[in-house]
Amino acid sequence: MRARTRSIFTVPAAALGVLLAAAACSAPGDSSSDDADSSGSIKIAVVDAQSGQLASLGDWEAKGAKLAVKEWNKKGGIDGRKIELTVFDDQGDPTTGTNIARKLDSGNYTAMIGTAESAVTVAMAPILKQAEIPNITSGQATALVDVKSPFLFLNGPTSTTYDSTLSDYLVTTKKFKKIAVISNNGSYGKGEHDAFTAALKEAGITPVTDQVVTTDQKDFSAALSRIRQSKPDAIFIGSEEVEAGLIVKQARDLGITAPFAGAAPQGTPVFIETAGAENAENTIVSSPYLSNEISEASRAFATAYKAEYGKDAELHGAKAYDGTNIVLTALKNSGVAKGKKLADEIRATKYQGLLGDFAFDETGVGIFKTTIGVIKDGKLSAAQ
């Protein structure tokens, strides 16, 4: 039975004072807030890669979650209880992730934020389900939905939403007919490949070439040479930030001038820095959070984030901020419930967040819309 609906219409304010809860990172393992009172605190975990190629994702997510927790603790926590945030480094590795899941179970954690890596989240899901620890993930692979866990929630759209929006823009708006595909064989890459090619098929388009690389590959000349021979109007890329950036850089070095198109990773600063701003120019991106200027709430969040960390906010930090606020709102509304009762309260929570209006369905997905942006002069902004 569906729990009663809770409605929240504002994102927590960005006024910041003395830091009451700060999480540190270790690899792999955990680091609790320095002044945590374990006797009465509410233990929340952030699990993400804090080392390795995907460390930028983990860093953004940890910062977004920390900011949300800081704001709640500044206001007195929940029912007078302090929120204790702990950051774990999964190293982007499913085995490490499962070991952390067991630690969360034995450590009496109330909820988990993360991971941004779908394969790690999928590996952790059975343990978290058995432990009845609700988990809000930033992954987007449809494999997350296929897990069918009542304790697993997504703080963003699935690849299906990202890529159906992108396909429609490329085919219907831009009138592209010759579209090449390059993706990696990891969980994220496969999810993106399958979602995008399915969307193209619905539009009556078959990729002019479909190249698959490995997640640890560094030289993409063979695949890119085949793409160059196909003379595409656009190139879809299903790969994380660093690898995607390397692919684009090498493509430009080979004389490929067609625009690239992709989902969340292609809208990040790491992608642009890795590819080079000039090479990334005109990249088309499908995202629920194009910039820090999309709303008054996003501007307040970005201001607070910049004040706290001295860096600009972006999508992944915003996702973790939203996800953490949803968990904390559900904890408050449920009287600091745990287990199934907390999961039911999360599912019932309506939340107006930075990414949009969250309303979770039975699959654990809460956001079903993205918009199209284009990289111009090194920055992502709404397509004109």
Side-chain angles (χ1 to χ4, degrees), residues 145-218:
V145 173
D146 295 340
V147 168
K148 299 185 185 302
S149 170
F151 295 91
L152 181 59
F153 303 87
L154 280 67
N155 62 12
T158 65
S159 292
T160 300
T161 298
Y162 278 96
D163 296 329
S164 60
T165 302
L166 182 60
S167 172
D168 182 66
Y169 180 80
L170 296 178
V171 175
T172 304
T173 302
K174 300 297 289 184
K175 308 297 183 185
F176 292 151
K177 297 185 182 301
K178 298 176 64 178
I179 299 174
V181 173
I182 181 169
S183 58
N184 68 37
N185 61 359
S187 178
Y188 173 77
K190 185 178 186 306
E192 284 294 287
H193 170 276
D194 293 351
F196 185 72
T197 54
L200 281 185
K201 185 177 180 180
E202 279 194 19
I205 300 289
T206 299
V208 291
T209 186
D210 189 347
Q211 300 295 313
V212 178
V213 298
T214 65
T215 56
D216 58 354
Q217 197 164 327
K218 298 294 187 293

Side-chain angles (χ1 to χ4, degrees), residues 293-317:
E293 300 296 325
I294 58 177
S295 68
E296 183 178 340
S298 68
R299 285 188 287 272
F301 162 71
T303 298
Y305 190 101
K306 186 68 173 281
E308 186 67 23
Y309 305 116
K311 297 180 178 180
D312 291 332
E314 51 68 70
L315 168 65
H316 295 87

Side-chain angles (χ1 to χ4, degrees), residues 96-106 124 127-128 131 133:
T96 302
T98 57
N99 291 334
I100 292 172
R102 295 186 184 97
K103 183 178 288 189
L104 301 188
D105 184 12
S106 63
M124 297 178 73
I127 299 170
L128 297 176
I133 298 175

Side-chain angles (χ1 to χ4, degrees), residues 82-166:
K82 180 180 176 180
I83 303 146
E84 176 188 346
L85 190 67
T86 307
V87 179
F88 293 81
D89 180 10
D90 64 37
Q91 301 176 345
D93 174 56
T95 300
T96 302
T98 57
N99 291 334
I100 292 172
R102 295 186 184 97
K103 183 178 288 189
L104 301 188
D105 184 12
S106 63
N108 198 33
Y109 282 84
T110 299
M112 172 181 143
I113 308 299
T115 70
E117 314 101 30
S118 297
V120 179
T121 302
V122 169
M124 297 178 73
I127 299 170
L128 297 176
K129 179 180 178 181
Q130 184 175 14
E132 297 193 345
I133 298 175
N135 170 205
I136 294 193
T137 175
S138 289
Q140 65 189 60
T142 54
L144 296 164
V145 173
D146 295 340
V147 168
K148 299 185 185 302
S149 170
F151 295 91
L152 181 59
F153 303 87
L154 280 67
N155 62 12
T158 65
S159 292
T160 300
T161 298
Y162 278 96
D163 296 329
S164 60
T165 302
L166 182 60

